[in-house]
Amino acid sequence: MAESTEVALAAAPIPSSAEIARAEKFARERFLHEGEDQALALAPGCARRRALDAALVEIEEGAKYPSTAWRREFSLLLGLERVLSEEEPRLRDGTVLSAHQVDALSGTLTALLAEAERSAGNGNGRAAAMASPELLASAAIFGVDGDTAAEPAAAVRNGAAGAAASGNGGTGTREELDELEDVDAEDEDDETEEYPDDDEGDEFAPAPREEDVEDDEEDEDALEPLPEEDVAAEVEQEDDEGEEPRDWVDEDDEESLSDQPEDPNAAKRFWFEHATGAGKTVAALGFVEASQTGGVLILTHRRNLVDQFLGELRQRGYSQRISRPLYVGEDSTRGPVSVETYQWFVRNAGRISSAYTIVICDEAHTALGEKTSGAIRAWTGPIFIGMTATGALIARHVTDLFPTQTSRFDLAQAARRGVIAPLRCLRISPGAGVRTIAKVPLRRGEVDTEFDQEQLAELLDQQPFNLAMANLYKTRFNGVPGVVYAAGVRHAYNLAEAFRAEGIKAQAVSGETPKRELASVLARYERGDIDVLINAQLLAEGWNSPRATVCVHLAPTASKRIYQQRVGRVTRRHPGKEAGLVVDFVHPATKHDDPVVTLHSLLDRDVYRGGAIVVGPVRRGRGRRMRVERRVLPVCADEERRVQVFERELWRIAVENLDYGERHVWAALAGARVTPTGWRRARAMLHFDRTGELKSGFLLSAIKRNNNSQLRLRALADIAAGRDPEAFDTAIDVIGGWSREDRREASKIMLRALVERRIGRRDQASAWIWRLAEYTRELHEEYAVQRWPETKRLLGLLVNSSGGAHARNARRLIHAARKQDRRLAAALLAAALAHTPEAEEALRGARTRMARKPPALARELLRNFPKRRARGNKRRRKAQKAEAGKAAGAAAGKAAAAGSAGAGVDAKPVVESSAGTAD
């Protein structure tokens, strides 16, 4: 029957203009927008056409207002199309929605259209809604008595409903409901104060729009009883639940249960993620603007947020639509808007009216608890829209409850577009006693993981630490408004005392603070009478102060959700506020894999630079109010990304803050890449190295991998000056692989170092000298041949012999060297080249005996090196020639002057002669 109805509606011709006008007046929504083609906009089978046909059917049946089923299926869809059809979508008071807020509305509209098309294709969308007009958040509905329709609301609120007394209602047990009532006892008092009594009539519901409602309907009551068939359905369902339970299941029931999805209303639950301070509340009011006939229920997790939403509704022009919560049997077609808490929602599950077609879940991550999420899943009638700033930052993801994400506008995007203030970050290393925070255990909660708060408070709440923090704030941020997050209520009050002792206008607040006093403190903060608010977690959500500039995470958190909520307190723009400043009490080099959440781990940034803008447009010079450090640190945990940071920011890294292994990595990389102009800077970056390990690594890397030969020699000289035997030995090994010219210069530097200072043991020095002599053997052979011609014959016999003859020739050379002076003997032994073990042993013994005084031996070998030409010889010769020319010119001038004074007639020839001589 349902399929035949759908086919008939789809095949029907396009209604006339008069019918369309009647349907628009009935539904209070437009079916045709300006500039649209009627044939295309109302094509058979589309969602808008089905809404129009269904409205006409209800008009023909004599309905005065759209039914609950029609409102739930089409009210929001048509309203979003109306709002988005405008060139600049705006609210009632004229507020223009920004791009990301429009994205949230358009994304929801797209998802609704897709679901409408899918439901139409399955043929069960409209039929299912009409068959079950009242699906409430409980298996046991708290129904109405007999003919009365409006009385149950008051009875339910007073806890006198029959089903409630029997304990069959709600989504939890009677004990759970009692627990929730105790937790939210204060909410009940606030509800009675916030909303007027039942007998005040039309104040509960919004006033109708003049252009949409006829004059004779203006006097009608805003709260209308449900149609008789709807009330009967509720009562029948309640009666069915009152039957005794059966221990068997009919076959028909079993088949129908197997066909039902596990989460039947999942397709009608959406969510969007907008950064804190980006205007989630305004985006929510966009849905209020879109829903003209359907009721809107806004749920949030704190009572102060209820007040905030109500104030926003009044400010944006929706004060006439604000309504007290509607219960079973009450209805309103004028789009009532109610704001309540999740505790109220769970406690009243099954008692809430079907007039609500949209449920907006603020801070949707707080609705993931077992009771709240169960109540949401069980209420299959309305459309649920969740909004949060931290959807992807918790262990239990928001998509578990709200499967479809319609928009995403995270903190980084909001800062880059200038929607929120840029964020700077400063890391302050905690004291030695506070570093034991790593030993504080982590506790896993329903939503995410957090440090054990009792142990954290015990660790941080120390008087010296509190005084040091107060002094730090006064020194760095004196006069700048901020908010400090402490480890517990007592810690917050102790910190406030320490801050006031330093002359800072500080005040602590907590959940124990009376509401009026809390409101007074927050008002004084806005006026500037208070500069610092200190709390544990009270002000992490639901408090918005554009004046707040500094966010101090004195108590660290392991939850990214909590951290982002805290940071969101300083992201709102304010006159004179250049950027929000986030202070993390961690070591500057803390990586992302550390349990403590930081701004850089939250935003997944690779590099930390103290005081610099982490996210948002960078402002240089004018307008910047904080000193930015020159050095940077890699903070990402991924090794490949850290290597890229080293490659990119090599000369800006604060090496002293790196761990032991990475310091040596930096030294090796810096030695290989240092240039002559950056040599002194590179050496200065290792000023903290008291042991010399990093400097040795830097210098060895320079002689091994640097392409500049002059820098290699400079590094070699620094190694020799360091007198480190191990580095000296390594350097001599490296020298053997250099070119001949570089090898000569390096050997000269090392021999001079052995002459000037004592390095290592005597046997080490002896071995080093003869290895250096081997590198420069041709120089010593050249000197020996020039000094003693017999050298050439002896070396020739040694080289050209083998076996026993080679050993005899080696001993002959050694015997001849003994008869010569020390310099020639050293040159002969240095020039000798043995290639048998016996000859090598003989030469080693002779060399060892000669090297009893290593500095003297090194001095003799140094004398064989050719003297370096003095630098600047050409310049000196040019200067001498220039001076000689000047002297000759001066002499010629004097001679000319003397000749002209002696004989005036011969003056000219003498001058010419002088000129010629000068030439």
Side-chain angles (χ1 to χ4, degrees):
M1 183 64 182
E3 294 183 3
S4 62
T5 304
E6 294 288 343
V7 172
L9 290 175
I14 298 177
S16 63
S17 299
E19 291 177 321
I20 294 174
R22 260 202 318 163
E24 287 181 345
K25 187 175 181 180
F26 172 77
R28 296 171 60 188
E29 289 290 355
R30 295 197 298 268
F31 290 97
L32 277 177
H33 302 288
E34 184 177 354
E36 287 185 337
D37 185 2
Q38 182 173 344
L40 294 177
L42 298 177
C46 69
R48 202 187 301 179
R49 174 62 182 276
R50 289 191 290 111
L52 174 60
D53 293 339
L56 292 176
V57 169
E58 293 190 0
I59 292 174
E60 292 297 328
E61 294 175 351
K64 295 182 180 180
Y65 51 84
S67 65
T68 301
W70 189 94
R71 280 178 276 160
R72 285 184 169 176
E73 187 171 1
F74 300 115
S75 176
L76 179 59
L77 189 148
L78 295 177
L80 288 175
E81 287 185 336
R82 168 179 50 79
V83 172
L84 296 174
S85 66
E86 301 177 5
E87 184 175 352
E88 289 185 341
R90 61 185 69 233
L91 302 180
R92 175 70 64 85
D93 67 339
T95 301
V96 178
L97 300 181
S98 58
H100 63 280
Q101 292 163 346
V102 173
D103 287 343
L105 301 182
S106 60
T108 305
L109 175 61
T110 302
L112 286 173
L113 289 173
E115 176 59 21
E117 295 297 331
R118 188 187 65 82
S119 299
N122 294 338
N124 58 2
R126 177 74 178 158
M130 294 178 66
S132 181
E134 182 72 21
L135 298 174
L136 298 177
S138 174
I141 299 179
F142 294 82
V144 295
D145 263 345
D147 299 329
T148 60
E151 293 177 0
V156 167
R157 297 185 64 193
N158 293 330
S166 62
N168 294 330
T171 59
T173 64
R174 183 71 232 179
E175 290 76 6
E176 292 174 346
L177 293 177
D178 292 340
E179 180 182 352
L180 284 170
E181 288 176 359
D182 293 339
V183 171
D184 202 37
E186 188 177 358
D187 293 348
E188 291 290 340
D189 299 335
D190 292 339
E191 289 169 16
T192 58
E193 294 176 3
E194 184 178 348
Y195 300 107
D197 295 331
D198 292 353
D199 56 4
E200 293 183 11
D202 292 340
E203 281 189 353
F204 293 149
R209 292 189 177 183
E210 297 179 358
E211 64 271 22
D212 294 335
V213 183
E214 296 181 356
D215 296 337
D216 56 352
E217 295 179 352
E218 292 180 357
D219 296 332
E220 290 182 2
D221 208 8
L223 297 181
E224 303 159 352
L226 287 174
E228 294 181 0
E229 58 272 17
D230 292 356
V231 176
E234 293 180 9
V235 176
E236 183 179 354
Q237 184 173 352
E238 182 181 357
D239 294 341
D240 291 342
E241 291 167 357
E243 296 178 0
E244 295 182 0
R246 297 179 298 177
D247 57 357
W248 72 90
V249 179
D250 294 338
E251 294 182 1
D252 296 338
D253 295 341
E254 188 173 350
E255 292 178 0
S256 61
L257 288 174
S258 62
D259 295 338
Q260 293 179 355
E262 295 182 0
D263 195 356
N265 201 41
K268 296 172 67 176
R269 294 197 295 269
F270 314 100
W271 74 287
F272 62 91
E273 179 181 358
H274 284 180
T276 304
K280 292 192 299 295
T281 305
V282 176
L285 296 187
F287 291 100
V288 174
E289 174 65 25
S291 181
Q292 296 283 12
T293 57
V296 180
L297 177 60
I298 301 175
L299 298 176
T300 186
H301 66 298
R302 287 184 180 174
R303 175 56 57 181
N304 62 336
L305 291 179
V306 173
D307 301 334
Q308 179 179 320
F309 260 105
L310 292 173
E312 195 75 19
L313 286 166
R314 295 187 183 98
Q315 180 182 352
R316 302 295 181 182
Y318 299 100
S319 57
Q320 293 183 340
R321 292 183 58 180
I322 297 176
S323 168
R324 64 165 176 80
L326 305 181
Y327 296 88
V328 169
E330 297 176 328
D331 193 13
S332 176
T333 61
R334 299 173 183 176
V337 181
S338 303
V339 187
E340 284 297 339
T341 62
Y342 288 113
Q343 291 92 338
W344 173 91
F345 175 69
V346 173
R347 189 175 62 252
N348 292 280
R351 316 174 190 180
I352 306 173
S353 171
S354 62
Y356 296 116
T357 61
I358 306 171
V359 179
I360 298 176
C361 299
D362 184 33
E363 304 295 351
H365 56 271
T366 61
L368 303 183
E370 182 178 355
K371 297 177 183 178
T372 306
S373 60
I376 290 175
R377 285 189 172 94
W379 197 3
T380 59
I383 295 171
F384 285 84
I385 300 172
M387 57 182 189
T388 180
T390 56
L393 303 181
I394 52 181
R396 183 181 297 177
H397 203 282
V398 174
T399 53
D400 295 343
L401 183 59
F402 302 90
T404 306
Q405 184 175 6
T406 58
S407 175
R408 188 171 188 267
F409 191 63
D410 58 19
L411 192 68
Q413 292 174 316
R416 283 195 296 266
R417 293 189 188 180
V419 176
I420 62 176
L423 289 176
R424 298 183 181 273
C425 183
L426 182 65
R427 291 185 173 186
I428 298 176
S429 185
V434 183
R435 290 179 184 175
T436 56
I437 191 173
K439 298 181 181 179
V440 177
L442 294 172
R443 305 299 183 194
R444 186 175 183 85
E446 287 188 356
V447 177
D448 47 18
T449 303
E450 181 58 297
F451 289 110
D452 186 286
Q453 295 302 301
E454 293 183 0
Q455 295 191 28
L456 189 64
E458 182 180 352
L459 175 67
L460 296 179
D461 192 5
Q462 304 174 17
Q463 185 65 14
F465 181 68
N466 296 341
L467 294 174
M469 177 58 209
N471 181 265
L472 174 68
Y473 196 98
K474 183 177 182 179
T475 303
R476 293 249 186 150
F477 319 114
N478 191 24
V480 181
V483 54
V484 179
Y485 291 95
V489 176
R490 180 177 297 178
H491 187 206
Y493 284 98
N494 292 339
L495 274 172
E497 292 181 3
F499 272 65
R500 288 192 291 268
E502 288 287 342
I504 302 173
K505 297 183 291 185
Q507 183 68 43
V509 293
S510 67
E512 301 173 359
T513 306
K515 287 190 175 182
R516 291 185 179 180
E517 181 181 346
L518 176 61
S520 174
V521 170
L522 297 181
R524 290 167 56 200
Y525 182 83
E526 290 299 324
R527 292 195 304 267
D529 299 336
I530 297 175
D531 284 335
V532 180
L533 285 176
I534 306 176
N535 72 107
Q537 194 61 22
L538 178 69
L539 303 181
E541 297 176 334
W543 172 67
N544 302 321
S545 175
R547 183 171 176 263
T549 304
V550 182
C551 175
V552 181
H553 297 279
L554 189 57
T557 177
S559 168
K560 290 187 176 181
R561 175 186 63 85
I562 294 176
Y563 188 93
Q564 180 162 323
Q565 293 289 355
R566 290 179 178 180
V567 171
R569 303 314 110 196
V570 297
T571 57
R572 286 169 173 79
R573 291 194 167 275
H574 189 261
K577 180 178 176 180
E578 181 262 343
L581 176 61
V582 180
V583 181
D584 291 326
F585 277 85
V586 295
H587 188 272
T590 300
K591 301 179 184 179
H592 295 350
D593 55 2
D594 193 272
V596 178
V597 180
T598 63
L599 185 62
H600 289 75
S601 64
L602 178 73
L603 299 174
D604 196 25
R605 294 295 186 264
D606 292 341
V607 175
Y608 163 72
R609 184 183 180 193
I613 288 181
V614 181
V615 61
V618 178
R619 299 184 62 180
R620 305 182 186 277
R622 185 178 180 182
R624 190 174 69 187
R625 298 187 176 183
M626 184 174 181
R627 182 179 63 86
V628 178
E629 298 176 3
R630 292 177 176 269
R631 301 294 178 85
V632 301
L633 278 170
V635 292
C636 51
D638 184 70
E639 291 299 328
E640 293 184 1
R641 291 169 60 184
R642 293 182 72 85
V643 169
Q644 293 175 3
V645 173
F646 271 79
E647 297 277 350
R648 185 176 65 249
E649 305 287 352
L650 181 65
W651 303 114
R652 299 175 61 199
I653 292 178
V655 188
E656 62 273 16
N657 289 323
L658 296 176
D659 58 30
Y660 179 84
E662 289 189 336
R663 288 180 181 180
H664 285 271
V665 171
W666 183 91
L669 193 59
R673 298 194 174 185
V674 66
T675 60
T677 57
W679 180 265
R680 295 182 63 183
R681 179 180 63 178
R683 292 293 305 274
M685 292 175 70
L686 297 175
H687 64 89
F688 61 92
D689 181 27
R690 298 184 180 276
T691 62
E693 291 184 11
L694 294 178
K695 293 178 183 178
S696 296
F698 167 77
L699 296 174
L700 289 174
S701 177
I703 66 173
K704 290 178 182 178
R705 301 167 56 190
N706 201 289
N707 295 326
N708 190 302
S709 60
Q710 295 299 321
L711 281 183
R712 291 201 302 268
L713 295 176
R714 189 172 183 177
L716 203 62
D718 288 346
I719 290 175
R723 301 176 62 181
D724 181 8
E726 186 177 353
F728 198 89
D729 185 74
T730 305
I732 290 178
D733 290 339
V734 175
I735 290 173
W738 290 4
S739 63
R740 187 179 68 173
E741 294 298 326
D742 290 344
R743 192 165 59 241
R744 285 184 179 181
E745 290 296 328
S747 299
K748 191 174 182 180
I749 291 172
M750 303 302 275
L751 287 172
R752 185 178 293 113
L754 291 171
V755 171
E756 296 174 353
R757 58 185 63 88
R758 181 176 179 178
I759 304 174
R761 302 187 307 273
R762 186 174 66 175
D763 58 329
Q764 287 181 313
S766 174
W768 293 334
I769 291 172
W770 291 115
R771 284 167 64 189
L772 293 171
E774 183 181 353
Y775 294 158
T776 55
R777 188 175 63 85
E778 63 276 4
L779 289 177
H780 306 298
E781 181 179 354
E782 182 180 354
Y783 168 76
V785 170
Q786 291 179 357
R787 172 81 181 277
W788 187 38
E790 185 67 15
T791 302
K792 190 172 185 180
R793 185 183 69 83
L794 293 174
L795 292 177
L797 290 174
L798 180 64
V799 171
N800 295 323
S801 59
S802 61
H806 182 72
R808 288 192 299 271
N809 290 329
R811 285 191 291 271
R812 184 180 293 118
L813 178 65
I814 294 170
H815 181 72
R818 289 176 182 174
K819 299 179 181 180
Q820 308 300 325
D821 59 78
R822 190 178 185 86
R823 180 180 179 186
L824 181 57
L828 286 171
L829 293 179
L833 184 63
H835 49 262
T836 64
E838 188 178 356
E840 180 66 30
E841 183 67 25
L843 286 175
R844 186 183 300 112
R847 289 170 177 172
T848 302
R849 288 189 296 271
M850 181 165 285
R852 291 174 181 174
K853 296 182 178 180
L857 177 61
R859 186 181 297 109
E860 298 298 339
L861 292 177
L862 270 176
R863 296 173 63 185
N864 299 334
F865 283 81
K867 295 183 179 179
R868 180 183 298 177
R869 294 180 181 178
R871 295 182 180 178
N873 286 344
K874 292 183 178 180
R875 294 181 181 178
R876 192 177 296 110
R877 285 195 294 269
K878 287 182 180 180
Q880 291 175 355
K881 288 182 179 179
E883 290 179 0
K886 289 180 181 180
K894 289 180 180 180
S900 61
V905 178
D906 298 330
K908 186 174 182 180
V910 171
V911 172
E912 290 178 355
S913 177
S914 300
T917 303
D919 291 338

